[in-house]
C-alpha cells in the first residue's frame, strides 16, 4: 500500500518537473558556414604554403597523438569530438587555429563552435596549444585531407 | 524478496553490462563504427556504472547491513525502491545510447533520481532505530545526504540542455559537483560505513576514537572540497578560502586515515590472502585519490588535469574501479556472496583486478605523456585490450557468483551472513 502511495507521489511530481522537449538542434550554421568565417581570436590571416611542409606535418602529428586523438579520429567518424577528415574543406584555416588556441572564447561566442558543441554533447577543454603548434596541427590536418 | 543477495547478483550482472559498454566505447576508437554515437554510449556507460552497478550494490549492502528487519530479510518498501532503480537504469541503457538525452530518457532519469530520494528517506528513517556505532551512523547518513544533494547536478544539466545554453561555467560546475558528491560523498562514505561496521568492534578503543575522528574529518571535508572544482576557474576570494579549507580538511582526513590504517593492520592476519589483496588495492586507491584530490588546489595541477582527458579518465576509473568496485568485491568475498574457497572465484577476482591495474597504468601513462606532448599509436589498441580484459574479468566474476548461488540460499535462510574473520577455512 505504502509503495503504491509512494509511486503515485513520485509519478505526479514527475509530470510537473519533466516538461522539456528536446528537438534536434538547428545545425544550419554548421553546414552553411562559409570558409570566410574566421572565428574569434588572434589569427586573421594564415598563410598556407604549397607544397605542405613535411616537418610541420610530422610535428603536428606528434601533437595530435599526444593531445587530440583521445577525442578526434582522422576519419569522418565522430568520437567525442568531430572526426578531422575534411575539416580543412569545411572551415577556414584561421577558424581552425583560433578554435585550437582560443577554445573557451570560441565555445562561448562563436556560433559554429557552439552548435558543434550541442551536436557532440561535449565541451572541448582548452588544450594550451601554442600558436606554433596550432599551425603544425593545421598542416597535419591538411595532409590528412589529402592537400598538397 | 526472500534472498537479500538477489540484488547483489543483479548488480554483478550490471557490472558485466558496464564492461560490455566499455569494450564498445574502446572499439569505436580503433574501428569504424559509424552507427554508434560515442558520447551517447559514454553517457549510457557512466549512467549504468553509477546507477546499475555501484548505487544498487551499495544500497543493497547498506540495507542488509544496517536496516534489515529482525528476520534478516528486506523491509517492505526496499524491494520496490530496488526494482525502481533496476528498471530505470535498464530503461536508460535502452534509450540513452540511441537517442542521447531526449524527453524519454530525461523522464526515466528523473524517475531514477526519485527512487534515490525514496531510498534516502526510508534509510534515514530506519537507521535511527538500528543499533549502530555513532561512526557508522554519521557516515551512512552523510552518505545518503550526499546522494540526494548530488541530484542538483543532473537537474542543472537537464536545464542547460533543454535551453540549449551550454554555459561553460555552469556546465562544468554542475558536472563536477555531481561527480564530487557521488564519488567523494555517497560512494566513499558508504564504503567506510560498511567497512567500519564490520571492523570497528574488533579494534581497540583508542583506535575506535581515531576511526570516529577520521570519519568526522572526512564528512566535514565533503562540502568545502567541492569548491576545489570551482577554485581553478579563478572566481572570488571566498571560493578560494573555502577551497583551501577543503583541501586542508582532505589532507587532515588523509593523515588521520594513517592512524586508522595502523590499527587495521592488526586485523590483516585474520583475513584470507585474496581479501588482503583486494583490501590493500582498494585502500591504496583511496589514499591515492585523496592525495591527488587535495593537490588540485594548485592551479597548475588543476589546469593540467582538467584539460587532459586521459588523466580525467584515469582519475575517474581509479575511484570507481580501483577504490569502490574493488572494495565491493572484497566485501562480497568477505561476506560469502562470492565464495573464495573456490579456486575459480579467486581466479575471477584476480583477473578482474589485474585488468583494473592494467587499465589504470595505461590511462595514467597516456595522460602523463600528453602533459609532455608525447603520444603513441599504440594507446587506443592497448586500451581496447584492457577493456576486453575487464570484460572477461567481469564475466568470470558473474559465473563465479552463479556457481555459488545455491549454497548461499541455504545460508540466507538461516538469516545469517557468513563473516569469515573468524573462519580459518579461508586461509589457504
Amino acid at each position: 500500500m505504502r509503495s503504491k502511495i509512494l509511486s503515485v507521489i513520485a509519478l505526479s511530481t514527475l509530470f510537473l518537473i519533466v516538461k522539456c522537449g528536446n528537438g534536434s538542434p538547428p545545425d544550419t550554421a554548421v553546414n552553411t558556414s562559409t570558409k570566410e568565417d574566421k572565428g574569434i581570436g588572434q589569427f586573421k590571416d594564415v598563410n598556407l604554403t604549397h607544397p605542405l611542409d613535411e616537418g610541420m606535418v610530422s610535428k603536428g602529428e606528434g601533437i595530435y597523438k599526444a593531445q587530440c586523438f583521445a577525442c578526434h579520429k582522422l576519419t569522418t567518424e565522430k568520437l567525442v569530438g568531430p572526426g578531422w577528415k575534411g575539416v580543412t574543406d569545411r572551415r577556414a584555416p584561421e577558424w581552425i587555429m583560433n578554435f585550437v588556441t582560443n577554445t573557451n572564447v570560441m565555445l562561448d561566442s562563436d556560433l559554429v563552435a557552439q552548435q558543434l558543441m550541442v551536436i557532440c554533447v561535449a565541451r572541448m577543454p582548452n588544450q594550451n596549444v601554442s600558436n606554433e603548434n596550432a599551425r603544425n596541427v593545421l598542416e597535419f590536418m591538411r595532409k590528412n585531407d589529402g592537400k598538397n | 524478496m526472500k534472498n537479500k543477495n538477489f540484488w547483489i547478483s543483479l548488480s554483478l550482472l550490471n557490472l558485466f553490462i558496464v564492461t560490455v559498454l566499455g569494450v564498445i566505447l574502446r572499439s569505436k576508437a580503433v574501428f569504424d563504427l559509424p552507427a554508434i554515437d560515442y558520447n551517447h554510449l559514454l553517457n549510457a556507460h557512466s549512467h549504468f556504472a553509477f546507477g546499475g552497478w555501484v548505487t544498487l550494490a551499495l544500497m543493497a549492502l547498506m540495507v542488509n547491513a544496517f536496516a534489515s528487519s529482525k528476520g534478516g530479510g528486506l523491509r517492505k518498501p526496499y524491494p520496490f525502491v530496488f526494482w525502481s532503480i533496476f528498471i530505470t537504469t535498464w530503461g536508460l541503457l535502452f534509450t540513452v545510447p540511441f537517442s542521447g538525452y531526449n524527453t524519454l530518457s530525461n523522464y526515466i532519469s528523473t524517475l531514477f533520481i526519485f527512487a534515490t530520494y525514496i531510498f534516502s528517506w526510508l534509510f534515514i528513517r530506519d537507521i535511527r532505530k538500528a543499533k549502530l556505532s555513532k561512526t557508522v551512523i554519521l557516515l551512512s547518513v552523510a552518505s545518503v545526504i550526499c546522494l540526494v544533494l548530488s541530484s542538483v547536478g543532473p537537474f542543472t544539466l537537464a536545464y542547460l540542455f533543454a535551453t540549449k545554453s551550454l554555459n561553460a561555467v555552469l556546465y562544468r560546475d554542475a558536472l563536477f559537483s555531481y561527480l564530487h558528491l557521488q564519488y567523494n560523498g555517497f560512494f566513499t562514505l558508504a564504503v567506510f560505513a560498511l567497512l567500519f561496521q564490520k571492523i570497528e568492534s574488533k579494534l581497540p578503543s583508542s583506535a575506535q576514537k581515531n576511526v570516529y575522528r577520521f570519519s568526522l574529518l572526512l564528512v566535514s571535508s565533503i562540502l568545502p572540497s567541492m569548491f576545489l572544482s570551482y577554485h581553478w576557474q579563478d572566481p572570488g576570494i571566498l571560493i578560494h578560502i573555502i577551497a583551501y579549507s577543503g583541501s586542508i580538511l582532505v589532507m587532515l582526513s588523509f593523515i588521520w586515515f594513517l592512524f586508522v590504517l595502523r590499527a587495521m593492520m592488526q586485523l590483516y592476519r585474520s583475513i584470507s590472502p585474496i581479501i588482503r589483496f583486494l583490501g590493500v588495492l582498494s585502500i591504496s586507491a583511496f589514499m591515492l585519490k585523496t592525495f591527488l584530490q587535495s593537490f588540485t588546489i594548485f592551479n597548475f595541477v588543476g589546469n593540467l588535469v582538467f584539460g587532459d582527458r586521459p588523466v580525467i579518465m584515469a582519475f575517474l576509473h581509479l575511484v570507481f574501479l580501483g577504490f569502490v568496485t574493488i572494495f565491493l568485491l572484497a566485501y562480497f568475498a568477505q561476506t560469502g556472496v562470492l565464495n573464495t574457497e573456490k579456486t575459480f572465484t579467486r581466479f575471477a577476482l584476480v583477473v578482474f583486478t589485474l585488468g583494473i591495474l592494467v587499465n589504470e597504468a595505461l590511462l595514467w601513462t597516456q595522460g602523463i605523456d600528453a602533459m609532455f606532448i608525447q603520444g603513441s599509436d599504440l594507446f587506443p589498441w592497448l586500451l581496447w585490450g584492457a577493456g576486453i580484459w575487464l570484460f572477461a574479468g567481469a564475466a568470470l566474476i558473474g559465473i563465479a557468483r552463479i556457481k555459488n548461488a545455491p549454497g548461499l540460499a541455504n545460508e540466507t535462510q538461516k538469516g545469517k551472513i557468513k563473516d569469515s574473520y573468524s573462519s580459518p577455512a579461508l586461509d589457504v
Side-chain angles (χ1 to χ4, degrees):
Chain A
M1 188 58 209
R2 183 158 213 161
S3 48
K4 270 186 193 159
I5 297 172
L6 288 177
S7 56
V8 169
I9 295 171
L11 280 170
S12 49
T13 323
L14 264 171
F15 282 116
L16 293 174
I17 289 180
V18 183
K19 52 182 176 185
C20 49
N22 268 11
S24 55
D27 57 353
T28 43
V30 174
N31 295 331
T32 60
S33 84
T34 60
K35 291 196 70 181
E36 266 89 82
D37 180 1
K38 298 194 170 182
I40 304 153
Q42 55 178 303
F43 297 101
K44 310 287 181 208
D45 197 16
V46 175
N47 267 332
L48 298 180
T49 52
H50 303 277
L52 296 179
D53 183 327
E54 289 299 332
M56 285 163 72
V57 169
S58 82
K59 280 182 197 156
E61 187 174 12
I63 302 289
Y64 167 75
K65 282 180 186 167
Q67 292 183 276
C68 318
F69 85 153
C71 302
H72 299 279
K73 298 182 79 161
L74 294 177
T75 61
T76 54
E77 194 176 334
K78 177 162 75 81
L79 199 61
V80 181
W84 278 7
K85 196 79 174 173
V87 64
T88 57
D89 301 319
R90 293 192 295 271
R91 312 270 174 256
E94 293 82 5
W95 191 96
I96 294 172
M97 286 185 66
N98 283 328
F99 186 75
V100 170
T101 53
N102 198 26
T103 316
N104 279 330
V105 173
M106 287 279 282
L107 287 174
D108 285 337
S109 316
D110 184 87
L111 191 60
V112 174
Q114 286 186 314
Q115 292 189 342
L116 281 169
M117 186 164 65
V118 172
I119 291 169
C120 294
V121 214
R123 193 186 158 93
M124 177 171 150
N126 183 19
Q127 296 295 318
N128 299 310
V129 179
S130 69
N131 290 351
E132 188 194 343
N133 278 337
R135 183 65 186 82
N136 293 335
V137 168
L138 175 65
E139 202 72 351
F140 174 64
M141 287 171 164
R142 292 175 69 211
K143 173 91 175 179
N144 187 47
D145 285 343
K147 300 283 167 60
N148 50 41
Chain B
M1 274 315 123
K2 286 281 188 297
N3 185 351
K4 61 186 182 181
N5 288 325
F6 171 71
W7 299 103
I8 308 288
S9 303
L10 283 188
S11 73
L12 282 173
L13 167 71
N14 288 351
L15 171 64
F16 170 72
I17 305 282
V18 173
T19 63
V20 173
L21 298 178
V23 169
I24 303 174
L25 285 169
R26 294 265 167 95
S27 302
K28 174 101 176 154
V30 287
F31 302 116
D32 283 336
L33 297 168
I36 292 163
D37 186 299
Y38 187 88
N39 289 315
H40 290 168
L41 196 64
L42 183 64
N43 286 327
H45 172 73
S46 57
H47 264 300
F48 208 70
F50 278 64
W53 160 232
V54 167
T55 301
L56 188 60
L58 280 177
M59 282 181 176
L61 290 181
M62 283 163 91
V63 172
N64 283 357
F66 308 145
S68 56
S69 67
K70 277 181 187 159
L74 285 181
R75 279 170 202 262
K76 195 70 175 147
Y78 287 111
F80 162 76
V81 177
F82 292 164
W83 274 122
S84 312
I85 299 271
F86 185 79
I87 292 165
T88 50
T89 49
W90 274 78
L92 289 172
L93 178 67
F94 284 106
T95 49
V96 174
F98 309 104
S99 53
Y101 295 113
N102 58 14
T103 311
L104 181 63
S105 57
N106 275 334
Y107 179 85
I108 300 172
S109 164
T110 311
L111 271 178
F112 171 81
I113 289 170
F114 272 89
T116 67
Y117 288 169
I118 297 168
F119 171 84
S120 306
W121 173 49
L122 292 172
F123 184 79
I124 289 175
R125 184 199 67 180
D126 288 345
I127 200 167
R128 285 180 306 182
K129 297 173 205 150
K131 288 193 183 108
L132 294 163
S133 75
K134 58 180 179 177
T135 305
V136 173
I137 291 180
L138 168 74
L139 288 169
S140 53
V141 169
S143 169
V144 295
I145 289 174
C146 286
L147 171 65
V148 171
L149 289 179
S150 74
S151 64
V152 174
F155 282 132
T156 309
L157 285 179
Y159 168 78
L160 288 178
F161 281 112
T163 55
K164 295 196 176 54
S165 64
L166 286 189
N167 177 299
V169 176
L170 205 54
Y171 173 81
R172 250 182 319 225
D173 286 355
L175 194 63
F176 283 121
S177 307
Y178 171 74
L179 287 173
H180 174 81
L181 287 169
Q182 288 271 320
Y183 274 52
N184 302 318
F186 173 48
F187 296 171
T188 303
L189 298 178
V191 161
F192 280 110
L194 289 164
L195 176 68
F196 291 150
Q197 192 246 351
K198 283 274 175 218
I199 67 167
E200 208 184 7
S201 61
K202 298 184 174 73
L203 297 172
S205 61
S206 59
Q208 287 183 14
K209 273 184 195 137
N210 280 332
V211 167
Y212 182 68
R213 284 182 196 134
F214 161 70
S215 307
L216 210 55
L217 281 168
L218 192 63
V219 169
S220 58
S221 76
I222 305 281
L223 287 181
S225 65
M226 189 164 78
F227 288 76
L228 285 169
S229 318
Y230 319 142
H231 153 86
W232 63 283
Q233 298 157 351
D234 209 29
I237 184 85
L238 187 65
I239 305 278
H240 281 301
I241 292 168
I242 300 172
Y244 274 109
S245 59
S247 178
I248 291 164
L249 280 168
V250 170
M251 220 48 220
L252 280 176
S253 72
F254 181 83
I255 292 164
W256 239 270
F257 184 71
L258 297 176
F259 294 121
V260 174
L261 195 62
R262 203 177 58 180
M264 286 192 332
M265 292 303 269
Q266 296 164 2
L267 303 173
Y268 186 76
R269 290 200 153 274
S270 64
I271 55 176
S272 71
I274 181 75
I275 296 168
R276 275 182 211 167
F277 170 70
L278 297 174
V280 166
L281 283 177
S282 173
I283 283 173
S284 308
F286 167 72
M287 291 170 71
L288 185 58
K289 168 209 93 99
T290 311
F291 198 71
L292 293 171
Q293 187 196 354
S294 67
F295 267 77
T296 49
I297 191 72
F298 300 112
N299 263 333
F300 82 95
V301 180
N303 280 329
L304 273 181
V305 165
F306 283 100
D308 189 334
R309 193 174 175 92
V311 161
I312 292 179
M313 290 298 141
F315 185 77
L316 295 180
H317 287 89
L318 171 74
V319 182
F320 201 91
L321 289 174
F323 170 45
V324 181
T325 297
I326 294 183
F327 171 82
L328 286 169
L329 294 174
Y331 194 94
F332 294 167
Q334 183 68 25
T335 53
V337 176
L338 291 171
N339 183 359
T340 50
E341 283 171 58
K342 294 211 169 86
T343 314
F344 184 84
T345 312
R346 293 200 301 272
F347 172 70
L349 287 169
V350 169
V351 169
F352 187 68
T353 312
L354 289 181
I356 294 175
L357 287 176
V358 168
N359 190 50
E360 277 300 303
L362 286 172
L363 286 168
W364 284 111
T365 315
Q366 192 190 15
I368 290 166
D369 274 4
M371 288 176 195
F372 295 100
I373 318 189
Q374 297 290 318
S376 162
D377 286 335
L378 278 177
F379 279 121
W381 287 102
L382 293 171
L383 285 165
W384 181 69
I388 290 178
W389 192 332
L390 286 166
F391 159 79
L396 290 172
I397 289 174
I399 295 166
R401 169 67 194 150
I402 293 165
K403 280 182 159 187
N404 189 33
L408 251 149
N410 293 332
E411 265 171 325
T412 45
Q413 272 171 10
K414 288 181 215 152
K416 275 185 181 173
I417 297 183
K418 186 170 74 182
D419 191 324
S420 47
Y421 277 116
S422 50
S423 149
L426 281 178
D427 273 306
V428 182

